[in-house]
Amino acid sequence: MTRPGAMWHNWARSASVRPQRMEFPRSVGAVARAVAAAREQGLSVKAVGAGHSFTGIAVAPGVLLDLTDLTGLVRVDRERGRATFLAGTRLHQIPKLLAPYGLAMENLGDIDRQSISGAISTGTHGTGVRFGGLATQVVGASLIVGDGEMLQVTEHENPDLLPAVALGLGALGVLVEVTIQCVPAFQLHAVERPEPLDDVREHLHRRAEEADHFEFYWFPHTDKAMTKTNTRLPESAPRAPLGVLGAWVDDTVVGGVLHKAACGVAKAVPQTVPTIARTSVTLWGDREFTDASHRVFATSRSVRFREMEYALPVESALPAFDRLRALIDERGWAISFPLEVRFAAADDRWLSTAHGRDSAYIAVHRYWREDPSEYFEAVEQIMLSYGGRPHWGKMHTLDAPQLRDLYPRFDDFLALRERLDPDRLFGNRYLSRVLGE
């Protein structure tokens, strides 16, 4: 289906565009035809998933391909535990599709609204020192490249391209199918609780090493950390999910309605932020439950925000975090959103933020109606001083010359881009900044 371009904006309302044309392909062939038509007409073309990137990475001024209808399970290799999905399939749809086969994705982030193609293309990750980002689960992909032809990347066809294609920023072509290496379905035992921040800091690396999945949040203006520790259990383990009422109170009332109201108050009256932060620590978390992995990994995010996240060498997590805490105090900022600290294993994806090094991630947020510029710019300088790499889908100011110094395979990626899309059919302003023209 095709229609004249309407205004498109991302979830965070930090990027928008009125494309010349919007198309809603329902098949791989329809994507190929749309790319060929855009090329003939001299228009750029970009695929859009759920719009959960905070940057302009998906902005499509020419032809916008909305992949909402390109969803579903294509095939399952039961023997090898591999599943192939159409590129627009949302992460929250995947558990139901895999359930009949007793499979699950190995790890997930804390939001599951993204499309599988958008999530891997921007470097989405979860937490766990022994687990890589979502792109490391990719073992095959199919994409429509600049000449309108299909490029297959598997262990038998073009296997050398997988580390680039699995995390390609949308710069190499339009992903139409993605093959994921799954694992047997499993449960997670979750423990979420407030703890003294100093205790968490003192034992941070030990706790991250000992747990399957560990992370913490810190509300500025408090001395507490909200910790989340998830332990992997077999599917057959006894299940003890959150009660319907309790989950609704925690996630919808406290995490949604009350938090949104608090952010509104904080914006109008900044001096209330410390009190709100201390109250939030007493209301959030402090629960224990066991449930299917995807129900534990992902949480509901109904309060709109903007985010910056940097990946650091894991040994730099505490020094960077401490400098960030000091910065907030020195500047006297009223920060109503928590900071988040997570971990990931090193991997071989060329543009992965964890390429070649075990990584710690520090994320900062601002309510979407607040200007994040001063805060994010200062945070960015701290992250860069520790060799930080910015998340491709979250706000940052770096350009190609700066990023080249952070990624050993950066020029290899550019060479592949030149080969697959020499005319920059899949380019936009964001990609011009981070990859060069």
Side-chain angles (χ1 to χ4, degrees):
M1 185 172 74
T2 302
R3 71 184 188 199
M7 181 61 71
W8 174 91
H9 51 73
N10 63 352
W11 178 85
R13 304 302 191 266
S14 55
S16 62
V17 69
R18 187 181 297 278
Q20 295 189 42
R21 185 169 71 247
M22 298 179 71
E23 300 196 23
F24 299 81
R26 296 183 177 181
S27 67
V28 171
V31 174
R33 290 190 294 273
V35 169
R39 182 180 182 85
E40 290 174 4
Q41 296 162 10
L43 298 175
S44 63
V45 57
K46 297 292 295 178
V48 172
H52 264 274
S53 290
F54 297 84
T55 65
I57 193 168
V59 167
V63 178
L64 184 155
L65 298 183
D66 187 313
L67 300 186
T68 300
D69 295 327
L70 193 70
T71 64
L73 183 63
V74 178
R75 58 185 171 273
V76 173
D77 182 338
R78 288 174 177 266
E79 183 176 344
R80 306 178 76 184
R82 294 180 173 183
T84 300
F85 300 94
L86 290 170
T89 308
R90 303 296 173 89
L91 295 178
H92 67 86
Q93 297 172 323
I94 290 177
K96 185 176 181 179
L97 295 172
L98 291 178
Y101 306 96
L103 298 173
M105 291 187 67
E106 182 180 54
N107 198 10
L108 288 168
D110 53 12
I111 297 176
D112 62 3
R113 300 294 101 178
Q114 308 99 316
S115 67
I116 183 63
S117 57
I120 66 169
S121 295
T122 55
T124 296
H125 62 93
T127 191
V129 296
R130 290 176 289 279
F131 301 92
L134 268 63
T136 66
Q137 300 173 44
V138 177
V139 292
S142 301
L143 65 163
I144 306 299
V145 295
D147 61 4
E149 297 297 316
M150 174 89 78
L151 175 66
Q152 301 280 2
V153 179
T154 69
E155 60 188 332
H156 304 297
E157 296 181 74
N158 306 301
D160 56 315
L161 302 186
L162 184 64
V165 169
L167 205 168
L169 311 186
L172 304 178
V174 177
L175 283 168
V176 289
E177 292 184 0
V178 178
T179 300
I180 299 293
Q181 179 63 61
C182 302
V183 298
F186 63 100
Q187 297 192 66
L188 287 171
H189 174 65
V191 178
E192 303 176 2
R193 63 188 183 190
E195 301 182 48
L197 178 62
D198 286 343
D199 290 352
V200 175
R201 290 181 60 263
E202 182 178 357
H203 303 292
L204 178 62
H205 293 292
R206 176 180 62 79
R207 293 184 66 172
E209 287 286 344
E210 292 178 351
D212 290 321
H213 308 276
F214 177 79
E215 64 183 297
F216 78 88
Y217 294 82
W218 171 65
F219 280 89
H221 321 294
T222 76
D223 60 359
K224 298 289 186 180
M226 304 297 299
T227 62
K228 298 178 67 174
T229 305
N230 294 334
T231 302
R232 300 167 80 94
L233 301 174
E235 173 67 9
S236 59
R239 186 170 298 189
L242 290 170
V244 175
L245 179 60
W248 178 77
V249 169
D250 286 349
D251 297 334
T252 302
V253 177
V254 177
V257 177
L258 293 183
H259 189 210
K260 183 176 181 180
C263 289
V265 172
K267 181 179 184 300
V269 190
Q271 57 266 36
T272 64
V273 168
T275 299
I276 291 173
R278 289 189 291 270
T279 302
S280 297
V281 169
T282 64
L283 292 176
W284 280 17
D286 207 5
R287 59 187 187 177
E288 185 173 353
F289 58 101
T290 301
D291 209 340
S293 58
H294 64 276
R295 294 195 184 100
V296 179
F297 280 135
T299 56
S300 174
R301 296 293 181 89
S302 59
V303 181
R304 212 176 299 275
F305 58 88
R306 275 80 183 274
E307 182 175 359
M308 169 183 282
E309 183 176 51
Y310 264 79
L312 310 171
V314 70
E315 63 273 11
S316 299
L318 276 177
F321 177 76
D322 288 343
R323 281 185 59 186
L324 184 47
R325 289 175 62 205
L327 174 72
I328 292 172
D329 288 341
E330 291 166 4
R331 299 290 181 90
W333 288 326
I335 306 298
S336 58
F337 258 84
L339 283 70
E340 183 180 17
V341 179
R342 295 183 288 172
F343 301 89
D347 64 57
D348 67 348
R349 290 354 190 190
W350 292 358
L351 293 186
S352 168
T353 50
H355 178 87
R357 69 188 193 194
D358 293 334
S359 298
Y361 291 83
I362 297 180
V364 295
H365 315 72
R366 290 307 298 263
Y367 183 48
W368 76 289
R369 294 187 182 279
E370 296 176 315
D371 182 0
S373 302
E374 184 182 11
Y375 179 38
F376 283 8
E377 288 170 6
V379 170
E380 186 168 60
Q381 292 308 307
I382 291 176
M383 299 299 113
L384 291 175
S385 72
Y386 289 97
R389 295 167 176 164
H391 190 300
W392 297 103
K394 300 179 183 179
M395 300 173 76
H396 69 94
T397 68
L398 271 60
D399 57 19
Q402 294 167 295
L403 291 161
R404 174 178 281 109
D405 292 337
L406 298 174
Y407 289 93
R409 303 299 299 269
F410 192 82
D411 286 330
D412 293 326
F413 185 89
L414 296 189
L416 180 59
R417 184 192 189 201
E418 186 66 27
R419 171 182 151 194
L420 298 182
D421 185 25
D423 299 320
R424 303 299 184 259
L425 184 66
F426 308 110
N428 62 12
R429 183 176 298 178
Y430 176 83
L431 291 180
S432 292
R433 173 164 68 87
V434 300
L435 297 178
E437 297 295 340

